[in-house]
């Protein structure tokens, strides 16, 4: 039991129930056989697919996007919407994260603005309402050229 507890890197309880752990191939195979386990997957390093999210989402400033007419208005232009994103990092000084004109952070928000290297609590605002980073279990070699923070 102690060895199992030491192997856990992260534990998840919001959105889904699960954990990340450092396991041998044999341990992963054993756990995968339990009827309560939905799936066991290895942690895989992924390259960035796009740095042009607006193009990927077909959001263009100079033409109407390929969507239902009036959708943005009907959705109140995204007012009070919390968007969750898995990203490669955030640069809070970017103009795109300026929170001028934004209302208060939604009261239902339960997230966190995690501090770290070159990212302090004031890096979050009314637009960046939460930011986290996950580096446990990643080798120093991989983390070496990265900020150890949401940046």
């Amino acid at each position: 039991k102690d060895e199992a507890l030491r192997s856990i890197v992260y534990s998840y309880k919001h959105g889904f129930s699960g954990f990340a752990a450092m396991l041998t191939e044999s341990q992963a195979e054993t756990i995968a056989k339990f009827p309560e386990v939905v799936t066991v997957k290895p942690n895989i390093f992924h390259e960035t697919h796009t740095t042009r999210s607006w193009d990927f989402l077909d959001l263009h400033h100079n033409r109407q996007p390929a969507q239902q007419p009036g959708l943005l208005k009907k959705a109140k232009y995204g007012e009070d919407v919390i968007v969750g994103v898995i990203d490669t990092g955030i640069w809070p000084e970017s103009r795109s994260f300026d929170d001028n004109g934004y209302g208060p952070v939604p009261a239902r928000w339960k997230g966190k603005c995690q501090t770290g290297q070159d990212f302090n609590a004031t890096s979050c605002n009314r637009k960046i309402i939460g930011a986290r980073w996950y580096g446990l279990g990643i080798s120093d070699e991989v983390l070496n050229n990265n900020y150890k923070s949401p940046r």
Side-chain angles (χ1 to χ4, degrees), residues 2 6 15 20 41 61 63 66 72 76 115 124-125 131-132:
D2 289 339
R6 281 192 306 273
K41 294 187 178 211
H61 296 290
R63 67 176 176 85
L72 284 175
K76 299 180 185 172
T115 59
C124 289
N125 58 25
R132 299 196 67 162

Side-chain angles (χ1 to χ4, degrees), residues 39-91:
T39 188
V40 174
K41 294 187 178 211
N43 188 19
I44 301 170
F45 182 79
H46 294 279
E47 293 291 332
T48 306
H49 286 263
T50 180
T51 59
R52 305 269 182 213
S53 299
W54 47 90
D55 293 336
F56 180 75
L57 296 171
D58 197 27
L59 301 173
H60 302 280
H61 296 290
N62 299 327
R63 67 176 176 85
Q64 283 288 78
Q67 66 183 13
Q68 179 182 344
L71 180 62
L72 284 175
K73 186 174 182 179
K74 185 177 179 181
K76 299 180 185 172
Y77 298 95
E79 182 179 321
D80 202 36
V81 171
I82 298 171
V83 178
V85 178
I86 296 176
D87 201 341
T88 58
I90 191 166
W91 203 261

Side-chain angles (χ1 to χ4, degrees), residues 5 8 14 17 23 34 43 56 58 62 68 72 74-75 84 86 90 98-99 106 113-114 116 123-124 128 132-133 149:
L5 289 172
I8 294 177
H14 301 289
S17 178
L23 303 173
F34 290 127
N43 188 19
F56 180 75
D58 197 27
N62 299 327
Q68 179 182 344
L72 284 175
K74 185 177 179 181
I86 296 176
I90 191 166
D98 183 351
D99 68 351
C113 184
Q114 185 177 14
S123 297
C124 289
I128 303 172
R132 299 196 67 162
W133 77 286
S149 73

Side-chain angles (χ1 to χ4, degrees), residues 88-145:
T88 58
I90 191 166
W91 203 261
E93 298 83 8
S94 172
R95 270 191 6 220
S96 62
F97 299 118
D98 183 351
D99 68 351
N100 284 328
Y102 278 74
V105 173
R108 70 183 188 281
W109 174 247
K110 304 289 186 244
K112 179 178 182 177
C113 184
Q114 185 177 14
T115 59
Q117 182 183 2
D118 290 336
F119 198 93
N120 59 38
T122 61
S123 297
C124 289
N125 58 25
R126 292 173 300 165
K127 188 166 185 180
I128 303 172
I129 63 173
R132 299 196 67 162
W133 77 286
Y134 300 90
L136 295 177
I138 300 174
S139 72
D140 288 339
E141 181 182 337
V142 172
L143 285 176
N144 190 34
N145 295 322

